Amino acid sequence: MALTLYNTLTRSKEAFTPIDPGHVKLYVCGPTVYDYAHVGNARTFSAFDLLARLLKHLYPRVTYARNITDVDDKIIERSHKSGEPIDSVTARTTAQFHADMDGLGLLRPDVEPRATTHIGQMRAMIDTLVEKGFAYAAEGHVLFHVPAMPDYGRLSRRSQDELIAGARVEVAPYKRSPADFVLWKPAKAGEPGWDNPASAGPGQGRPGWHIECSAMSAMHLGAMFDIHGGGLDLIFPHHENEIAQSRCAHGTPVMANVWMHSGFLTIAGDKMSKSLGNFYTARELLDEFPGEAIRLALLSAHYRQPLDFTKDKIAQAKQTLDRWYGVLRAAGTAPVDTAPVPAEVLQALCDDLNTPLAISALHELANSFHKAGTEAEKRAAAAALKAGAGLLGFLGQEAESWFRWAPKGADLDATAIEAAIQARKDARKAKNFAEADRIRADLLAQGIVLEDGPQGTSWKRA
Ligand code: AMP
Ligand code: ZN
């Protein structure tokens, strides 16, 4: 099946041709670990998680790298404010990030390089850029000299004149051109520091943000690789500068062939962000909703479109999953057969990750289960639904365990609910229908819906 992807570099949808079809390589800019990830970050990581899943379905080998930025001004600031050592802030936040992304059902990347363990590679790359005349040292800094790269600005489609005009305010005196950007900067007292690259002279400093992704992608994926991704806000300056560093250091025509950017998760039209304070952390939503429902809500819009966040969208996604897991449960006690991924689901995803279309194809499969006349047709429809949803990373758990999920602090756990269902059954047997109805109403008041079917009574949370 041919895969087409929208490439920000060319502003068009293109057929994807891997450099080596035997081994596809994907790099995604990961989190800066100083605080909980919000659900906007999770949207971007969910989009690229889906891309990694699809690539792994289509190609024999895929390396998906997503870095951890564990040296950054925000981390230093957080540590200074709270008194918690930097290493502890970054280790704790990385563990939280892993727990949250696991909770949402994302696959771990194959490689997860941390900036602080790649300082040597960054220093070497900086020295190469200075040797080749693309960078210079000034007052303990090393800066990339933007005018040295004639086609700088191709990704964001900005001309150098525009960049110079845009950078007028507060240009540091040591910059040769206002558009030049930092590769290395001196460490102030109390800040983490590493020995300078040789080109910066003696002393200690730390890397700028952009150089880490250039150094780590080269180390783990090579000087040129297939796909580079991140949120829309990374196109400029981060990705533009990554491209400048990598191409100039390696002398390559491109850094990655395809550049993909996900749209923003917004709240009432504004980008969800830490600085605006208009965010929900993944952690707090995971207390309230099943991770699978949050992720389905995040994938419900096409990844390049903005998606306005509401909790109602997650509640709707939960209902969808109730319906799909309901199909698996109704398909009987024998495990649902394995089936190939239905063509309509695969086709939708291969068209630049068209998740709305893929999800509507899954709805159709759930409908076809209910319309099916024979037991064999029903089992085939359930198997197709499971395989299609499975490609997107859904319906991976037992239906019973899905329906047993409870929000944090829920009054009723599964054992209590099942005891109440048994009591209702006993009451019915004893023809005490008033009591049976009371139990049902009592459960409903607590958000538990009972469904009587040929295989007995099942329940779900409303
Ligand atoms: P950060 O930890 O701030 O570097 O962000 C990690 C990733 O989340 C980057 O790829 C950002 O582009 C992305 N991101 C940040 N805010 C949003 C948002 N509101 N919607 C979608 N992606 C976002
Ligand atoms: Zn990056």
Side-chain angles (χ1 to χ4, degrees), residues 130-402:
V130 173
E131 275 158 30
K132 291 192 171 181
F134 293 106
Y136 59 95
E139 295 181 26
H141 295 72
V142 183
L143 293 124
F144 186 93
H145 189 44
V146 168
M149 184 190 190
D151 64 347
Y152 178 92
R154 252 176 69 196
L155 180 72
S156 58
R157 303 208 168 172
R158 286 167 203 233
S159 72
Q160 300 220 3
D161 293 345
E162 268 174 76
L163 289 168
I164 290 167
R168 257 189 328 237
V169 226
E170 282 184 56
V171 175
Y174 47 79
K175 284 193 180 182
R176 284 188 198 160
S177 163
D180 293 354
F181 62 88
V182 167
L183 302 172
W184 188 265
K185 56 187 162 189
K188 296 190 200 110
E191 287 184 359
W194 291 265
D195 287 344
N196 281 348
S199 52
Q204 289 226 318
R206 60 191 167 93
W209 172 33
H210 317 305
I211 194 73
E212 71 173 83
C213 290
S214 285
M216 296 193 290
S217 62
M219 170 160 183
H220 296 282
L221 304 180
M224 285 201 285
F225 53 95
D226 296 299
I227 306 174
H228 192 316
L232 207 56
D233 51 341
L234 300 190
I235 297 177
F236 186 86
H238 186 54
H239 287 168
E240 197 70 81
N241 292 350
E242 281 188 33
I243 292 174
Q245 297 161 159
S246 294
R247 286 187 45 207
C248 294
H250 304 301
T252 43
V254 293
M255 176 185 184
N257 281 327
V258 184
W259 288 77
M260 292 175 67
H261 295 96
S262 57
F264 291 138
L265 190 71
T266 58
I267 283 212
D270 293 321
K271 180 194 171 197
M272 184 180 284
S273 72
K274 287 270 161 64
S275 52
L276 287 177
N278 60 350
F279 61 89
Y280 288 94
T281 62
R283 178 69 265 140
E284 66 190 315
L285 292 174
L286 283 164
D287 287 343
E288 214 176 318
F289 299 99
E292 232 179 305
I294 302 171
R295 193 159 55 87
L296 181 60
L298 294 177
L299 293 176
S300 64
H302 187 258
Y303 77 95
R304 285 195 286 120
Q305 298 300 319
L307 171 61
D308 206 51
F309 179 83
T310 58
K311 285 191 179 177
D312 197 46
K313 288 206 168 88
I314 309 180
Q316 279 171 28
K318 182 177 173 296
Q319 281 180 9
T320 297
L321 286 162
D322 278 342
R323 207 165 153 258
W324 294 351
Y325 274 113
V327 167
L328 299 191
R329 178 154 75 177
T333 45
V336 170
D337 310 327
T338 48
V341 173
E344 57 274 31
V345 175
L346 190 56
Q347 252 156 20
L349 295 184
C350 283
D351 180 13
D352 193 33
L353 302 180
N354 190 340
T355 49
L357 193 60
I359 292 168
S360 75
L362 294 172
H363 278 298
E364 281 306 313
L365 291 168
N367 288 343
S368 69
F369 172 86
H370 292 294
K371 282 189 231 142
T374 68
E375 209 47 40
E377 281 169 6
K378 273 191 183 302
R379 289 193 64 81
L385 173 65
K386 191 164 191 245
L391 179 59
L392 288 90
F394 296 110
L395 301 190
Q397 51 182 314
E398 291 296 321
E400 282 317 312
S401 101
W402 164 262

